[in-house]
Amino acid sequence: PQLQPTTTTPSSTTTSLTSSPTTTSSTPPITQKVLRIAIGIDADTLDPHGQTTTLISNIMSFITEPLFYYNEKGELIHYLAESYSVSSDGLKVTVTLKKGIKFQDGYPLNATAVKLTFDRLLNPKVKVPSRYLLDALNSTEIVDQYTVRFNLKYAYAPFVRTLTTWYIISPLAYQKLGEENLGKTPIDLGTGPLKFKEWVKGDHITLVRFDDYWGGPVKFEEVVFKIVPEAQTREAMLLSGEVDIVYQPPPADLPKLNATAGVKLAINPSTRVMTVNINTQRGPLKDARVRQALNYAVDKEALIKNVLFNLATLADSPVYPAFFGYSPQKVYEYNPEKAKQLLAEAGYSSGFKLTLMVPTGRYIFDRQVGEALQSYLSKVGITVELYTPDWPTFVQSLIGQNYTSTPWDLCYVGYGMTTPDADAVLYPVFHSSQWAPGKFNTMFYKNERVDKLLDDARREVDESKRLQMYAEAQKIIWEECPWIFLYFQNFVLAHSDKVHGLVVYPYETFDLRWVYATQ
Amino acid sequence: MESRIIRAVDGIDFTVREGDCFAIVGESGSGKSTLGLSLIRLCPGDVSGEILIDGVNLLKLSEDEIRKFRGSKISIIFQEPSSALNPVMKVGDQLMEVFTVHGYSKSEAYQKSLQLLKTVGIPEAEKRMQTYPHQLSGGMKQRVIIAMAIALNPRLVIADEPTSALDVTIQAQILNLLKNLSQSYGLSTILITHDMGVAAELCNRIGIMYAGKMVEIGPLNSIFAIPLHPYTRALMSCIPRSLKENLKPLPGHVPDLSNPPKGCRFHPRCPYAKEVCTLEEPNLEKIDDRLVSCHRVGEI
Amino acid sequence: MMQQYTRLFKSKRVKICLFIILSFIFMALFADFISPYNPLETDLSKSCRPPSFEHLLGTDELGRDILSRIIHGSRLTLTISFVATALGAAAGIFFGVISGYFGGIVDTIIQRITEILLALPGFLLAIMFVAIMGSNLWTVIISVAISMTPSFVRMVRGLTLQVRELEYVLAAKQLGVNDIKIMFNHIIPNVSPTIIAQVTLNLGTSILFASGLGFLGIGVPPPAPEWGTMLGTGRAYIFYAPHLIISPGLSVFLLVLSFNIIGDRLGEIIASK
Amino acid sequence: MELIKGENLSKTYNLKISLTTSIKVKAVENVSISISEKEVFGLVGESGSGKSTLGRLMLFMEKPDSGKVIFKGVDLSRAKKDEVKDARRRMQIVFQNPDLSLDPRMKIYNTLKEALVCCKYKGDFVERIKSVLEEVGLSSETLNMFPHQLSGGMKQRVALARAILAEPDFIVLDEPTSALDVSVQAQILNLLIDLRKKLNLTYLFISHNLSVVSYVSDRVGVMYLGKLVELGNCDEVFNEPLHPYTKLLISSVPALYMTKKFFTQNHTALAENGEENPSGCRFFKRCPYAKELCRVKEPELDGDKHKVACHFA
Amino acid sequence: MGLCYTVGGKPVLSALKYFFYRLLTLAITLIGLVTLIFILIRSIPGDPARVLAGMMASEEDVNLIREQLGLNQPIYIQYFIYLKNLFTLNLGISFRTDSPVINEIFARLPNTLLLAVTSTCTAVIFGIPLGVIAASKKGGKLDFLLSTFSIAGISLPIYWLGLILILIFSVELRILPAGGSGTPMHLILPTLTIALYLMAFIVKITKASVIDSMEKNYVITAKSKGLSERTILYKHVLKNALIPVVTIIGLQFGALLGGAVITETIFAWPGLGRLIVDSINSRDYPMVQGSIFIFALLYALVNLATDILYTFIDPRVRLK
Ligand SMILES: Nc1ncnc2c1ncn2[C@@H]1O[C@H](COP(=O)(O)OP(=O)(O)OP(=O)(O)O)[C@@H](O)[C@H]1O
Ligand SMILES: Nc1ncnc2c1ncn2[C@@H]1O[C@H](COP(=O)(O)OP(=O)(O)OP(=O)(O)O)[C@@H](O)[C@H]1O
Ligand SMILES: [Mg+2]
Ligand SMILES: [Mg+2]
């Protein structure tokens, strides 16, 4: 059966979330008191700022909330923030907070809390994995009780959009716990609809309803996140009725699940763009024609359909469509003849050998995709050897090496972006100042025009000019092919049909605020 | 696995009278142990013929009946005292078992066992009841086994090389014990041994076995004085007796019992063998006070 | 000694097992000729097809013919099994005999190292080893070999300790035969029956071990058709296409079973001697 | 002419008797014997009295804890490695258990060849082996056989052949016949006597069978719990034993032909196990003649030709 | 043993000394092991700081973390610090969770032990009687069935078995939970998976051991006393036969802990096995070292316990 991405969520709100997006249906259903969700990994820490995985960060978002957030289309909406303004030089961003919001520990949401949060984020002693997003931030100042100002080091247009990442924590709770215990002991520290109840390591995390939630209390009393690393097991638990919602069920079983009575699937595109990085400074790969040939050699649609069970959406730009600055390009169609021709033009008609690095178990069917890519490339005369290290080794090999020392020529990798702005993808990945080691231009791609466009676009306050710049940059990148452009991965939740009101965002996250379950 | 039929014991015919001590002597592999085990029906192979004790044919008894017989009417003592006792069971318990299995109560069994241990000459019997076999010396273990064998005052005790694993000094003690016991209880004993000396110490009648057959049966004294069968004779001359007297060894060795020689089984090793011996099997013939199976017994 | 081995083949079970093993060996040797398709040839449009006349065991997630992959996989499995066991046994015999024969400080050192390795579950050792060296056929073989070596050392040492006190060894020593010759001519041949039985069992165990690594995704790297890896991959499709795990699982089971039955029988024969 | 001499030999073993416990066993303590050329020295005693250990010490198969072995005038504990190796080759051993004394996985030929290789024999191996086989009374067919195809007596002959091939001067025979039937025992004993004459051999003949020892030995030593308690000419020791232990031994032998009884039957019913008596005579607890002196003082082996270690002999 | 002349008759090695000796060798083994692990885990490529920081983190942040973890120090200093801490039973702080390793381990250990114990018990309870039955019916149909079962049980890939059990009981029949922990129901499938293998093994060795014991001479003695086959089997043979079985169960317990990696993965069982693998995969050095250390300690203790149990069954090896 064909599966198309579906959206289970009804119409969205743009600026506030005072009302549930559900159709305010007539009969209030009998609700289940406890919601049980099977997830794949356990939290390492409960520190809202210390998260490295989308999933746990997602769970944190039920407890603590950011100033801005996004809706299910990926568009920016206001959350704890009432409004914002940017100074003309782009160096000062002022945010006004909503009034009357209380933290779970009773502390009122005010500028102090915001400043404390951002001061903590900038404190180098604190482990903040995504701190790079705050590179532009210099300091935070309190303007009045409900207004804060962010002073930037340089004009950085996407700044407001990065604020979706940072959860505001209660100064009271912070004081109570102290820096060293934050994250180890569950405590009421956010403004979100759910509070910590229990964390049994390796087994489950339980949250309970926060009755005074500013957006109105949720419709269940408790949610248990059961930690079940095996996708198969998670699925079986759903089928046997042990859980209500399953995070990322095994992709291969989706057709079957879809056909199973009582089970529903929520499949949504995500911002995670999957690509094959090409080391553009090495051998035949220096030649753009060769890189184009690689793009022509791969049947992306077949990959999506047969290997990924439609769990991906073909990419026509490195930038996610809902992001600011997205500009669609013409997809490289599957054309092995053209690929061979391009290779011949470049003088490689007899083929050559490459190493493709693929992580295992990190992305949907990553190893299978690797094998399929290998097979496709072999059909145009390129011999590919697979290298499948575990994740830490993979990361090390990806960003810990310079262009001569990478143990790979091609690398299958995904970039999940949380800032809905083209800059978030293009600057760190394609700007030549960002070459690895230590940074993310792991293709060692360099194009002066692109560099200039990206530099300028960052500082430009005028949004239409920015759009133009990004459009040009994307065009050049698309033509020069430092990637084999593949697809955006889809994100799946499976749930019992008794669960209603589940909202899924394109950031591989979901929202429980409107969820209710009938018995 | 390839199977071979081994007739370890073939057509043996003998009687033991009440109170007698009958010795069965022969080389290793001649079938002595098999004979012993057959008598108590513990031999793994098929046994045919008749085993009569007080007129009861053991071979006709059911498995249950023979079990009641074992230990009470007929019992056996084995060669290796160290392996014949269960290493993880207390000596006392093993001894008491003989009584309990034949219907005695626990306390009776205990009392009787104590008494028995004293009878077989084990000092500090109470303490020994509580020990495990490995805490006893070989001689002591053999005494315990003897105690088990005589516990219910059986009609017949079969002793299969009871002393060959023991030192001479201890062997002397055990033989002494056996002698005393058979005198005081009037036991009938079958003593299996390959040592003529041991047989001489204890027994009044003797049977010489060769390759699964009895070749000579009779009173010990007369056989030792004038052995009639060539095998008996050869066996005697193999024993180093007085100092520096030359041995006359018997050539060759015991035949393979899965394929014994035709005719008289001893003929390949016999200095007197004639043609008849290679063809016809001799029968046990009565000569004076004994039975001998040899074609040429009169001539040599 | 020869009789023992003829006795082995008297059993019907053993004959069947031997037949199974030989068929796998045959498959491994002539994989190129008998496998109906190229085991690496993908055809995404035919992915996860159930068994049919065209593909007797069906196709896998990339549309490759499973039968061909099983046939070619027997090559890998048997290679791992034989080479790893040979290496493990060789190392085990080497260190075990030395340790048992010489005793003293050499023995102490070897025993300590063995103990250390035995205190660490072999599987974890293998996981780490593969993580260090990267997974490829050789690292899998070596990690399987390493994980079986300590118990071999133990066993061989124990046997050597028994044999070295036997009279014929003492007699050879008294003659002045040198230690190396004694080890090669007297000790090793006399501990070998037990070792052979153990080796046979280990042939099976090593397959379970290697395919366990494959199952966890750290075995022989893709696209090699290693059975354990096939199982591990197929597991993701267990509901959708259960045939993906049936045949590799069955192959592992059959081969291991055959080695185990033969090994057991050998052990029995040796013990009954 | 003295061939080999053991002086004050002692050997202690650690014997593990349970998981946590091991005890020290003084297998041989301060024993001296000397054996002349072409002599047969018999060694008797109960099981565990240290006969085999003494034999192994004399062969230098095992290093004594103290004391020395002098072979043909060379002190082996001081000699160089090569010398020791050479000397050891000139001293061979035949063991009790015929099943264990030959490598079951080696053809007889190879077993015997090993001996020749070791003594760097220059001539034709097959010839030499055949001739020695003949000497021990085996046919040359045996060469291609494995030990399990041979009977116990034949194996023992092969073991003897292996010893002889090394051209030894001295052979320790550690109960060479006790696993054999009387008939075969007699064959082997006669063979041993013949070979000694033919090859000018010297034997240390260990046995617990007194009649066998008396049959082959010139001199005899009696051991009890690691000590030599009596030593003398065979006839003297067996006909006029001085030590009570020797008397006990002799009278324990079933009376088929040995008629001399030195104890009444009751005496043999003495406590059967050798319990310790650390300071005095080791036989103290079993000895019917024991006095206070025996409990406190250990007797020395004393005497001229017929030596005895007893205060009251 | 015959006669022996002892030195004062006193044991050279007392029970106390024996335990001291055992502890000493254990300590040496463990130090060797932690050293080995220390080296191995650091030889695996991949930077723990980078893993912690996340793929997109900046180099400065990574360096900062590296410093916080003490990974910037020379390796031998790290080693000595580690050893020093170990002597005070301080297993360190987990890189990943920032909390003491020991806490993390003790949160998981009971689960692993629970699984190990239930499955061992199940296997023993069924395996030993079945083994005895197979031995007493040697050559019969039942024996054939049981031996076939046992050899098949050992040859079955455990991960396959686990999946198939999930397929049957959780998905098709929907009577048992497929994974997770908490209620006794959760315990059933993983226990079954492990127990089946273990049971097959125990049946096999029990059978062999019983048959072996039945050929011993004391069995003939018992028969000659007039005891019935049954009594002999249960009163005489079994206790002897169990001695090797106990040792092997002890050894298997260790193997079982190792196998926990796979079972815990399949059944989402929050135990130590998974913790180790996860820690290896995230290069959480202190956690890997700590949990393997505890693992080995546990294994050694089980072996010690086996030894002690031994002395209860086998009077010949009494601890004095
Ligand atoms: N269970 C058996 N299976 C096969 N053959 C057997 C069995 N028991 C005995 N035999 C054979 O039967 C023959 C007689 O053996 P048996 O043990 O009765 O002799 P023996 O006279 O007692 O010898 P020994 O003096 O060595 O005890 C031997 O050849 C032996 O190999
Ligand atoms: N290798 C050894 N390790 C430990 N103890 C030993 C060793 N060899 C001998 N013993 C002990 O030394 C003592 C003497 O043993 P030895 O073998 O010399 O006695 P034996 O007189 O030859 O006895 P048997 O007549 O039984 O052969 C015995 O108590 C024995 O247990
Ligand atoms: Mg017998
Ligand atoms: Mg000896």
Side-chain angles (χ1 to χ4, degrees), chain D residues 203-259:
Chain D
Y203 292 154
L204 173 63
F205 191 99
I206 299 172
S207 179
H208 56 249
N209 188 332
L210 299 194
S211 30
V212 168
V213 169
S214 68
Y215 180 68
V216 293
S217 309
D218 303 322
R219 280 200 306 148
V220 62
V222 181
M223 280 192 84
Y224 183 70
L225 288 180
K227 280 250 166 189
L228 210 52
V229 293
E230 190 162 354
L231 181 106
N233 275 338
C234 196
D235 300 339
E236 285 175 29
V237 172
F238 284 120
N239 292 323
E240 288 142 30
L242 296 175
H243 198 282
Y245 176 64
T246 318
K247 293 180 184 171
L248 171 68
L249 266 186
I250 294 173
S251 44
S252 297
V253 176
L256 181 55
Y257 298 108
M258 288 227 177
T259 40

Side-chain angles (χ1 to χ4, degrees), chain A residues 172-355:
Chain A
L172 191 62
Y174 184 72
Q175 206 175 29
K176 217 187 270 173
L177 274 186
E179 180 56 52
E180 59 278 8
N181 282 324
L182 188 77
K184 289 177 197 159
T185 324
I187 192 171
D188 298 337
L189 48 53
T191 56
L194 296 164
K195 303 191 287 186
F196 281 122
K197 181 179 174 198
E198 191 183 33
W199 178 27
V200 177
K201 282 187 185 170
D203 196 67
H204 66 264
I205 299 170
T206 307
L207 307 181
V208 291
R209 178 164 64 195
F210 173 41
D211 291 321
D212 295 332
Y213 179 53
W214 59 277
V218 292
K219 297 201 179 76
F220 49 89
E221 283 172 12
E222 206 172 288
V223 54
V224 182
F225 293 94
K226 294 201 173 173
I227 296 145
V228 184
E230 284 308 307
Q232 236 86 43
T233 317
R234 291 201 294 273
E235 174 186 16
M237 289 171 85
L238 178 70
L239 292 178
S240 60
E242 278 171 80
V243 293
D244 306 302
I245 301 175
V246 160
Y247 187 81
Q248 292 190 329
D253 294 344
L254 295 182
K256 191 184 160 205
L257 279 177
N258 201 36
T260 308
V263 174
K264 280 200 163 172
L265 296 177
I267 303 180
N268 284 271
S270 81
T271 63
R272 186 182 297 279
V273 60
M274 302 304 305
T275 84
V276 174
N277 280 1
I278 301 172
N279 184 339
T280 59
Q281 301 299 322
R282 193 175 272 181
L285 301 174
K286 282 182 190 158
D287 192 325
R289 283 170 299 183
V290 173
R291 304 198 293 266
Q292 282 166 358
L294 296 181
N295 270 285
Y296 281 115
V298 177
D299 186 349
K300 292 139 219 142
E301 287 178 21
L303 263 181
I304 292 173
K305 184 163 162 252
N306 296 307
V307 179
L308 297 175
F309 292 83
N310 285 316
L311 279 180
T313 312
L314 197 59
D316 54 2
S317 160
V319 180
Y320 184 72
F323 282 8
F324 177 85
Y326 161 76
S327 157
Q329 310 292 322
K330 182 179 168 286
V331 174
Y332 289 95
E333 79 278 4
Y334 177 51
N335 191 343
E337 290 315 311
K338 181 134 190 204
K340 280 186 204 158
Q341 187 196 327
L342 281 166
L343 286 174
E345 277 173 30
Y348 297 104
S349 46
S350 53
F352 46 89
K353 242 182 110 169
L354 295 175
T355 301

Side-chain angles (χ1 to χ4, degrees), chain C residues 165, chain D residues 13-15 25 27 45-54 56 62 96 174-175 206 208, chain E residues 1 3-4:
Chain C
E165 294 301 330
Chain D
Y13 290 113
N14 253 340
L15 192 68
V25 180
E46 284 170 294
S47 179
S49 55
K51 308 183 294 293
S52 303
T53 308
L54 180 59
R56 286 201 301 267
E62 241 164 300
Q96 166 176 12
D174 190 352
E175 318 212 19
I206 299 172
H208 56 249
Chain E
M1 207 193 329
L3 306 183
C4 60

Side-chain angles (χ1 to χ4, degrees), chain B residues 27-28 137 139-140 143 167-173 175-176 196-198 200-201 224 235-236 238-241 243-247 249-254 269, chain D residues 46-47 151 154 181-187 189-190 208 211-212 214-217 234-235 239 248-249 252-257 261 265 268-270 272-273 286:
Chain B
E27 281 177 273
S28 181
S137 69
M140 295 259 235
R143 281 169 200 262
D167 266 323
V168 258
T169 49
I170 297 157
Q171 164 170 302
Q173 294 164 17
L175 291 179
N176 210 6
M196 296 277 196
V198 170
E201 283 276 300
F224 276 18
L235 215 51
M236 309 288 281
C238 283
I239 301 167
R241 36 184 110 187
L243 302 175
K244 306 297 175 256
E245 182 184 322
N246 268 355
L247 296 177
L250 178 60
H253 45 87
V254 185
R269 298 172 82 184
Chain D
E46 284 170 294
S47 179
S151 71
M154 289 161 90
D181 269 320
V182 268
S183 58
V184 185
Q185 168 175 301
Q187 297 167 7
L189 289 179
N190 280 355
H208 56 249
S211 30
V212 168
S214 68
Y215 180 68
V216 293
S217 309
C234 196
D235 300 339
N239 292 323
L248 171 68
L249 266 186
S252 297
V253 176
L256 181 55
Y257 298 108
K261 292 271 176 180
Q265 287 294 344
T268 56
L270 293 164
E272 62 170 44
N273 218 334
R286 294 172 79 181

Side-chain angles (χ1 to χ4, degrees), chain C residues 93-194:
Chain C
I93 292 170
F94 181 78
F95 290 112
V97 168
I98 285 188
S99 169
Y101 185 79
F102 289 113
I105 183 82
V106 181
D107 183 38
T108 311
I109 291 172
I110 294 179
Q111 283 317 298
R112 285 291 158 272
I113 294 174
T114 312
E115 253 159 46
I116 290 171
L117 291 177
L118 281 175
L120 180 68
F123 213 73
L124 285 177
L125 189 67
I127 289 176
M128 287 200 163
F129 195 78
V130 171
I132 295 172
M133 308 289 289
S135 50
N136 62 49
L137 184 61
W138 275 103
T139 50
V140 170
I141 286 177
I142 288 171
S143 55
V144 173
I146 286 182
S147 67
M148 75 169 71
T149 303
S151 48
F152 256 114
V153 173
R154 272 268 158 103
M155 183 187 80
V156 175
R157 174 179 178 266
L159 293 168
T160 305
L161 281 179
Q162 285 168 20
V163 174
R164 78 161 189 189
E165 294 301 330
L166 292 181
E167 276 92 332
Y168 56 83
V169 176
L170 296 181
K173 274 194 191 169
Q174 189 67 19
L175 282 170
V177 181
N178 70 36
D179 291 331
I180 310 256
K181 271 195 181 165
I182 289 184
M183 282 191 262
F184 271 98
N185 295 344
H186 296 290
I187 308 250
I188 293 179
N190 281 293
V191 299
S192 63
T194 319

Side-chain angles (χ1 to χ4, degrees), chain A residues 455-473:
Chain A
D455 280 333
D456 292 349
R458 287 202 131 179
R459 294 185 173 79
E460 183 56 61
V461 185
D462 181 344
E463 298 218 322
S464 66
K465 279 193 191 151
R466 286 188 77 212
L467 280 175
Q468 271 176 11
M469 293 174 187
Y470 285 132
E472 192 187 341

